[in-house]
Amino acid sequence: MNVILDLWGVLVDEKKMNKEYNNHAASILASRFGGDPARWLDAYDMAWADYQRRFRATDWDNKSWSDVVGELDVRLITDTLDAVGVQWRPSDVLSFARNLEFEVVSSVARCYPDVPGALRRLKEKGHEVHVATQAGEWNAIGALEGSGLLKEVKAIFSGSSQNASKDRKRYWTRVLEKIDSPTDNCILVDDRPDFLEAAASIGIGTILMDREKRTARHRLPQFVGSRMFTLTSLPHYVERISHK
């Protein structure tokens, strides 16, 4: 089977990333440009909050992921530099922003302890392991490299490679085109119900990853096929459904 795994929250520790990302980015910027790291952190925090607000407000049915995220990535850097009073600008702001993101993510990313064994067992049984993320390709590669998982993955699907938001049907249609596999030979594990719903809408099997045990079984949406708290039982589950 083609086992498609979400990156942040399923493979890689999202809480650690959220806790440490901005502080690490601010430290890197302070080391390059000088100044108080606390001031850089305040500036980056404000710019990041604006980034998230604009991202959430985007009409993804009428906007390109690449265009929107490219604009937001540039704005994140220029707003941060402006807030600290740095007039210098890189010749390619977008590349600067994404190189910074890669540097931070590859330093911060750590996989959950259940992940390496589960991926090894899936591959031993002949299943293909893919990663699907809302983030950009540079983010995904940085996270997988930093967490030691890059060599375990056959393909990476990202917001940038699909040029679509992960909660849109076209993201998953393009995933299937690249995998070149029928939907009944694919299963997605994700911690976001909206992403699972989009994948289920074209027939991909779904598993909700609920590491925090927040969702009662009787409250699972109809489009969720199963629920897991870790990846430990995933290889057995995949073997069982692949032999039906």
Side-chain angles (χ1 to χ4, degrees):
M1 289 197 73
N2 289 284
V3 183
I4 308 168
L5 302 170
D6 174 48
L7 181 61
W8 297 102
V10 172
L11 294 177
V12 183
D13 191 335
E14 187 170 32
K15 279 189 172 182
K16 174 179 170 58
M17 187 272 293
N18 289 337
K19 181 180 180 180
E20 299 181 19
Y21 186 100
N22 286 12
N23 190 67
H24 194 54
S27 295
I28 291 172
L29 291 170
S31 69
R32 291 182 184 176
F33 298 105
D36 183 359
R39 187 180 178 194
W40 280 102
L41 181 57
D42 287 343
Y44 197 91
D45 281 346
M46 288 189 294
W48 177 239
D50 182 66
Y51 184 114
Q52 292 178 303
R53 181 183 61 78
R54 291 175 183 276
F55 189 91
R56 288 192 297 266
T58 298
D59 178 2
W60 293 110
D61 289 326
N62 295 302
K63 294 288 184 68
S64 155
W65 187 98
S66 297
D67 289 345
V68 170
V69 173
E71 179 183 332
L72 292 177
D73 284 348
V74 167
R75 188 184 187 104
L76 177 65
I77 294 301
T78 57
D79 284 358
T80 301
L81 293 174
D82 283 343
V84 181
V86 174
Q87 300 302 313
W88 176 87
R89 293 291 183 272
S91 58
D92 184 343
V93 181
L94 184 58
S95 292
F96 181 91
R98 292 177 175 175
N99 288 338
L100 175 65
E101 183 175 350
F102 178 88
E103 183 177 352
V104 174
V105 168
S106 60
S107 299
V108 172
R110 296 293 182 272
C111 68
Y112 294 104
D114 54 286
V115 170
L119 298 192
R120 183 178 63 253
R121 287 160 54 209
L122 284 168
K123 293 175 70 177
E124 286 172 352
K125 294 295 185 179
H127 304 294
E128 302 283 4
V129 175
H130 312 281
V131 168
T133 179
Q134 171 87 346
E137 196 87 358
W138 53 94
N139 179 289
I141 293 173
L144 292 170
E145 188 175 285
S147 61
L149 299 177
L150 188 58
K151 66 182 183 298
E152 305 297 337
V153 174
K154 180 175 183 180
I156 300 170
F157 303 106
S158 62
S160 52
S161 71
Q162 308 309 95
N163 196 22
S165 175
K166 203 176 171 189
D167 61 354
R168 291 299 186 268
K169 181 177 178 179
R170 64 179 178 272
Y171 179 105
W172 298 104
T173 300
R174 293 168 184 171
V175 167
L176 288 182
E177 289 172 353
K178 292 180 181 180
I179 291 178
D180 191 23
S181 175
T183 56
D184 61 3
N185 195 43
C186 298
I187 188 133
L188 168 67
V189 184
D190 208 304
D191 62 339
R192 289 269 301 264
D194 53 339
F195 296 162
L196 292 172
E197 184 175 18
S201 73
I202 61 169
I204 296 174
T206 59
I207 299 172
L208 175 67
M209 174 58 69
D210 187 13
R211 290 189 179 274
E212 303 295 325
K213 300 182 180 180
R214 293 176 176 171
T215 307
R217 179 171 291 278
H218 70 277
R219 296 182 62 186
L220 290 176
Q222 286 190 330
F223 55 80
V224 173
S226 186
R227 175 186 59 163
M228 291 182 181
F229 304 129
T230 74
L231 286 184
T232 303
S233 60
L234 180 64
H236 175 73
Y237 181 90
V238 171
E239 276 293 286
R240 181 165 56 84
I241 64 173
S242 65
H243 289 101
K244 280 187 177 180

